[in-house]
C-alpha cells in the first residue's frame, strides 16, 4: 500500500465513474476524450479550484489541504459519505507523522461480549471480527454456519481468506459476488484509515497473489460497509437459508464488529437454523409469542 498511489488511483477511479452529462458540465471543444469519465479540468471546474491545483492534489501533493477543499472535491466527484471519509483518511495518511497517530484497537474480546454471543446460540449465528476480518470470537452456531472456515496452526479464521480462497465459500454464499464486493470494500476502507497496518498489508498481498478476482476488485478502489441486509446461503447440511444480517460496531472495543445472522421466528430459514443447531447438540430457545394487548412475551408451550 502506497499513500500517494492510493490517493491518485482512488480519485481517478471516481472520475472514471462519471460523465460530463452526469454532472451537467459541457466539455471544452470537440476534442476526443482520451480517458473514460471526467477529465481533471472538469473536476477542477466543479470543485472551484485551478486545474494545476487539482492535478497536484491528485498526485498527493496536498500539504495543509483544508476540509473545505476536500468537501469541494467530494461534491464534484459525487462521493458518498463513506467515500468522503475515505478521501480524508487518504489525505491524512500523507500528512505529518504527528497527525497520523495509530487508531486504538481492542487487545482481546471481553468476557461479557463472549457471553452475549453464547446467549444468542441456537437461533442466531454470531461472531466478532476485527478490521482485518479476522474472526476473534464466535458462538457455536456461527462456526457451524461457516463450516468451511479453515485456519493454519495459531491463526484465527478470516472472512476474506474464506470468501476468496476456499471453494466452500462459493457454495455457501448464494450471491457470492455481492459478498466478495463487500469484503473488498471493507478492507479498502480500513486500508485508508490505517495504511501502516502491517498485518493488513500482508493479507492484501496474500489475497492479491492467490486470487485473480480479489486483485481485480481491489483495483476498483470501492469502499463501504453494509450495516444491515439480507444474505442468502446454501448450507451443505440444511439447504437454503435467507438470513437477516446486522453489522454492529462495538464502541467499547475499538476496531471490533459484531455480525449476526438470524431469521424471523417461524420462517423456513428459522427452522433451518434450529435444525442446524440441533445437529451439533445445541438447544434452541423456544419461540416467543405475545399475548393480546401490551402484555409481556411468553415462551410458546410444547
Amino acid at each position: 500500500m502506497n499513500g500517494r498511489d492510493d490517493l491518485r488511483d482512488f480519485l481517478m477511479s471516481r472520475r472514471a465513474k462519471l460523465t460530463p452529462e452526469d454532472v451537467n458540465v459541457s466539455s471544452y471543444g470537440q476534442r476526443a476524450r482520451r480517458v473514460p469519465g471526467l477529465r481533471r479540468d472538469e473536476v477542477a471546474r466543479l470543485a472551484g479550484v485551478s486545474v494545476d491545483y487539482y492535478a497536484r492534489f491528485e498526485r498527493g501533493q496536498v500539504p495543509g489541504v483544508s476540509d473545505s477543499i476536500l468537501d469541494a472535491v467530494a461534491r464534484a466527484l459525487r462521493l458518498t459519505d463513506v467515500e468522503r471519509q475515505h478521501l480524508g483518511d487518504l489525505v491524512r495518511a500523507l500528512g505529518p507523522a504527528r497527525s497520523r497517530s495509530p487508531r486504538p484497537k481492542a487487545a482481546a474480546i471481553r468476557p461479557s461480549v463472549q457471553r452475549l454471543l453464547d446467549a444468542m446460540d441456537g437461533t442466531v449465528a454470531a461472531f466478532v471480527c476485527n478490521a482485518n476480518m479476522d474472526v476473534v470470537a464466535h458462538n457455536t452456531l456461527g462456526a457451524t454456519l461457516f463450516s468451511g472456515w479453515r485456519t493454519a496452526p495459531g491463526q484465527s479464521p478470516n472472512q476474506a481468506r474464506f470468501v476468496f480462497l476456499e471453494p466452500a465459500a462459493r457454495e455457501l454464499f448464494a450471491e457470492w459476488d455481492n459478498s466478495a464486493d463487500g469484503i473488498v470494500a471493507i478492507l479498502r476502507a480500513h486500508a485508508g484509515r490505517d495504511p501502516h497496518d502491517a498485518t493488513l498489508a500482508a493479507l492484501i498481498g496474500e489475497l492479491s497473489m492467490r486470487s485473480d478476482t480479489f486483485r481485480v476488485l481491489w483495483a476498483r478502489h470501492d469502499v463501504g460497509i453494509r450495516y444491515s441486509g439480507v444474505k442468502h446461503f446454501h448450507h451443505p447440511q440444511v439447504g437454503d437459508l435467507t438470513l437477516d444480517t446486522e453489522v454492529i460496531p462495538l464502541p467499547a472495543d475499538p476496531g471490533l464488529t459484531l455480525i449476526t445472522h438470524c431469521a424471523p421466528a417461524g420462517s423456513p430459514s428459522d427452522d433451518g437454523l434450529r435444525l442446524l443447531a440441533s445437529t451439533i447438540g445445541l438447544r434452541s430457545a423456544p419461540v416467543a409469542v405475545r399475548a393480546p394487548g401490551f402484555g409481556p412475551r411468553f415462551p410458546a408451550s410444547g
Side-chain angles (χ1 to χ4, degrees):
M1 295 182 289
N2 180 290
R4 288 192 174 184
D5 289 349
D6 286 342
L7 176 60
R8 180 199 63 211
D9 293 345
F10 173 67
L11 290 170
M12 290 178 64
S13 72
R14 299 311 94 176
R15 285 200 286 116
K17 287 178 174 289
L18 296 172
T19 66
E21 292 74 23
D22 292 330
V23 294
N24 298 316
V25 300
S26 57
S27 298
Y28 290 129
Q30 300 298 319
R31 61 190 176 94
R33 306 186 72 84
R34 294 183 299 172
V35 295
L38 294 182
R39 296 193 295 257
R40 289 190 184 94
D41 62 294
E42 291 164 338
V43 177
R45 273 194 287 158
L46 289 166
V49 298
S50 71
V51 177
D52 178 67
Y53 182 91
Y54 180 77
R56 287 186 287 110
F57 176 84
E58 196 170 274
R59 292 196 298 267
Q61 298 170 357
V62 290
V65 64
S66 66
D67 286 341
S68 62
I69 291 294
L70 292 179
D71 288 339
V73 171
R75 288 192 299 271
L77 292 172
R78 304 298 194 263
L79 300 187
T80 66
D81 290 344
V82 174
E83 290 172 332
R84 166 62 179 85
Q85 178 64 50
H86 185 62
L87 175 61
D89 289 336
L90 293 174
V91 169
R92 277 187 292 275
L94 296 174
R98 61 180 177 273
S99 69
R100 294 188 268 112
S101 55
R103 294 174 183 254
K105 298 178 184 178
I109 193 78
R110 288 180 292 119
S112 60
V113 176
Q114 185 62 59
R115 288 196 296 272
L116 176 63
L117 294 172
D118 295 339
M120 291 188 284
D121 228 349
T123 53
V124 179
F127 55 95
V128 174
C129 278
N130 63 19
N132 293 345
M133 302 303 293
D134 295 320
V135 179
V136 299
H138 57 78
N139 62 16
T140 307
L141 186 55
T144 306
L145 177 63
F146 293 92
S147 56
W149 277 342
R150 298 178 187 273
T151 60
Q155 187 182 66
S156 297
N158 181 279
Q159 281 293 82
R161 287 192 182 93
F162 174 61
V163 167
F164 286 100
L165 304 182
E166 295 296 338
R170 291 183 179 268
E171 298 296 327
L172 179 64
F173 293 109
E175 297 173 333
W176 183 88
D177 289 346
N178 287 339
S179 296
D181 289 345
I183 289 287
V184 173
I186 290 171
L187 292 179
R188 259 296 175 196
H190 175 46
R193 291 190 302 270
D194 196 355
H196 306 291
D197 185 331
T199 303
L200 174 62
L203 175 64
I204 299 308
E206 176 189 356
L207 295 174
S208 297
M209 290 181 64
R210 299 180 60 187
S211 170
D212 292 340
T213 303
F214 177 85
R215 192 162 56 250
V216 169
L217 293 177
W218 186 253
R220 292 180 184 173
H221 287 264
D222 292 334
V223 296
I225 183 169
R226 303 163 189 164
Y227 289 102
S228 64
V230 175
K231 281 190 176 292
H232 302 279
F233 297 84
H234 183 76
H235 198 275
Q237 291 177 270
V238 296
D240 293 334
L241 298 169
T242 298
L243 303 180
D244 296 322
T245 299
E246 297 295 328
V247 178
I248 308 168
L250 301 176
D253 302 292
L256 298 186
T257 302
L258 170 66
I259 301 172
T260 65
H261 300 287
C262 61
S267 67
S269 292
D270 181 52
D271 292 341
L273 273 183
R274 291 170 183 273
L275 176 60
L276 185 60
S278 71
T279 66
I280 51 176
L282 286 175
R283 182 177 179 180
S284 300
V287 177
V289 296
R290 187 180 294 278
F294 298 93
R297 288 183 177 271
F298 300 96
S301 59

